[in-house]
Every structure is written in structure tokens, then in C-alpha cells.
Amino acid sequence: MGPALFTPLELRSLRLQHRGWVSPMCQYSCGPETGEGVPNDWHLMHLGSFATGGAALILTEAAAVNPVGRISPLDAGLYNEEQAAGWERITSFVHRHGTAGTKIGTQLSHAGRKASSYWPFSGKQGSVPASDGGWDTVGPGTGAFDGYAAPSAMTVQEIDGVIADFAAAAVRAVDAGFDTIEIHGAHGYLLHQFQSPLVNDRTDNWGGDETGRNRLTLAVVDAVRNVIPDSMPLLLRISATDWAEGGIDTEASVRLARAASDHGVDLLDVSSGGAVAHQRIPVGPGYQTGFAARIRRETGVRTGTVGLLTSAGQAEHAVATGQADGVFIARAALRDPHWWLRAAFELGHELAWPPPYERAIPRHSF
């Protein structure tokens, strides 16, 4: 048998040729020249390079489901037809040129109280004021993320509106040619804000106990699942722990995983952190893989793992030992957009190269 990393995986009717995937990575590059939230040539190049580099599945950066859900003024969206057309250009390229039968999914998101923020290379931090193109944010309550402007507490009508926005964005994603959809319920963004007892202090049906705090995430899952084809897999990214006392822990995430599976989620993309600034994360190679392994072991739900997994050996170990069903690569892919071709060579697996690049196929060393 060959390497576990390069075995196929089926999620509903979607067949992925191997278990090496691209994690969502915000590019903060939707400039005003192409329209608010519209992906452009940068995104085509960025995502297209992973398709020609051998990735089996690419997840795009977070695509906001409405304007106030954008992380920054330069973030992508899927709340209008112009944005959907921009994404369709990219999905077509990936399907046409992907060397591993590459599939592509989008990550639907709402940033909640962490929206309207400055992008990492702006030289600034915190919330963007209206004078710089920012907007008022919303969240489960009025508590602000450290260094950010305070949000307004969402009304029940606004919550219902966000659920509808996720569903509408999912319809656009299907029409734009995406093969799968991931719902962003992690990293301190809106759905995670509702999940975390460190953020959600509501006393109505959308807060209180764990069932109430998870209600919005599961309502969004239901809304999306109801509008996409039954044959299309649905993914959910979660933060398995808040890395802070009194916050979400792995036991709570196992319970959420079970519920999400019951509501039609096919794979959990397991990350961590982001809800509060006082988190303490023991960062190191594979520091999050244990969360994916535990969820997979205790629930039977398929999982993907992410976080400082940079080498072919690390990725192979995670899959071969049953810690995860797939490995999402992020920063290592930015450094080497052909990471999967390199990994296949190092693990002794033959993976197709783009015909114009075949003269570069390594014989002895990569």
C-alpha cells in the first residue's frame, strides 16, 4: 500500500483524490478597483497555484455572507452576484487545471464583533473607523474584543437575518461551481462568539446554557444544508478550545461535533482559539491534531486537522495513525504552492504534474 496521505476520500458524492488539502487563508486583497468583496486576479493566481501544485481540495478564504460580516474592508464576500461571478471564474480555473482532480470549496463566514478590523499588513490594529471605510459591528452582546470597538447586541430579527444570509450565500456558492461549503464557526467570529461562554452572555434562546449557545451554529448548518444538493458535503470549522479558563473545552466540542453531524455536517475542520485575547496557546508542531483525533475517535465524525503541520512526514503520520481524515496546509503552502507535489515525491507516490512543468519532475531530489 502507498502512503495514507495519498489515498482517496469520499464525502457524499464528492471524491477527493487524496487527503492533502488547502486551509482557508484570508488574503485581504479585494481592492476597490474590482468592487466590494469581489475576488480578483490575485485570488485566481493564489488559489490556482495550489490547483496546479497538486492539492486535492482547496478551501477559499472566508467569504462574508453580508457586508457587515467582513473581517476587514478588503475581505471577500458572497452576498451579491458580482462576487459570485468572480468566484465562478476561479472555480472554473481550478476544475480545468487542477492536477489532482482538484476540488474547491468556499468558507462562509460572519466576523461579528471582530469585523471592520484593519488587515494585518496595514500597519494598524483594531477597528476601522467609518472615516476609513469601517462600519458598526454586531455580536451576541455588547462586549468588545480587546482593542476593538464595542458591537451592538443582535436582535432576534438580526439573528434570523444572518441565518438567511448564510443560506443565500450557499445558493450563490452552488451556482458559482463550488464543490463543497465550509461554515466558519471558529476563531472568535460570529458563530464562535455565540458558542463561547466567555463571549455570549445572552439570557434568551440564543444564549444561556450550552444548547442555547450552540443554537445559532446549528441553525446555520440547517439553513445551508437545506439549500444545497444532498450530494454536496458540508464542512464546519470549529475552535475545539478557547485556551482560556471558563471557555469552550474539548468535551464541549465533542458534543457540538455530534450535534453537527446529526444536522448534516460531513467533516469537522478542527482548529482552536480566537474568542478572547487573553488565551494562552502552547503553539508547536501538530498542537491541534489531538483535538481532531479525539473528536474523530469519540464521535465517528470525519475530521481535518490544521496547525504547524509543515512536512510530508507530519501529514502522513496524522492520517496513517487515524488522528484525522485529512490535513489542511496553510503557511507551508504559501511558502511552497507545490507542497503536494513535493510531499508525493518524498513519500514515494506518483502525482500528476501540469504538462508544461513535466520537464521539472524530480528524479533524485526535489
Side-chain angles (χ1 to χ4, degrees), residues 109-305:
S109 178
H110 190 298
R113 69 177 188 166
K114 293 176 79 173
S116 187
S117 64
Y118 280 106
W119 48 103
F121 44 89
S122 67
K124 303 177 182 179
Q125 293 182 332
S127 296
V128 179
S131 58
D132 265 356
W135 56 89
D136 294 334
T137 60
V138 298
T142 58
F145 187 77
D146 288 9
Y148 286 62
S152 61
M154 295 179 72
T155 66
V156 172
Q157 290 73 25
E158 287 174 323
I159 291 172
D160 289 340
V162 163
I163 296 169
D165 289 339
F166 270 94
V171 171
R172 293 189 189 95
V174 173
D175 292 344
F178 284 105
D179 301 296
T180 186
I181 289 171
E182 177 173 277
I183 296 168
H184 199 346
H187 299 167
Y189 298 128
L190 185 67
L191 301 188
H192 185 195
Q193 290 164 25
F194 271 81
Q195 295 164 23
S196 177
L198 298 177
V199 182
N200 186 348
D201 58 2
R202 298 177 73 100
T203 57
D204 63 2
N205 287 339
W206 302 100
D209 62 10
E210 185 175 290
T211 298
R213 296 195 307 274
N214 287 343
R215 183 166 281 117
L216 179 56
T217 296
L218 297 177
V220 167
V221 167
D222 286 342
V224 172
R225 182 78 267 172
N226 287 338
V227 298
I228 64 176
D230 187 63
S231 58
M232 176 181 281
L234 180 60
L235 284 58
L236 173 65
R237 172 164 270 194
I238 65 168
S239 282
T241 175
D242 282 336
W243 296 113
E245 186 176 354
I248 292 170
D249 58 18
T250 316
E251 289 76 12
S253 291
V254 166
R255 292 189 291 271
L256 176 59
R258 286 197 186 99
S261 178
D262 290 342
H263 285 251
V265 167
D266 300 288
L267 183 140
L268 269 291
D269 178 359
V270 184
S271 188
S272 68
V276 292
H278 63 271
Q279 62 188 5
R280 293 290 180 267
I281 305 178
V283 175
Y287 71 103
Q288 297 179 137
T289 301
F291 302 132
R294 180 171 176 184
I295 288 171
R296 187 176 188 268
R297 181 177 64 251
E298 295 188 15
T299 69
V301 180
R302 286 170 165 158
T303 62
T305 187

Side-chain angles (χ1 to χ4, degrees), residues 315-331:
E316 170 67 12
H317 178 75
V319 177
T321 57
Q323 296 180 73
D325 294 277
V327 176
F328 288 102
I329 303 298
R331 289 175 176 85

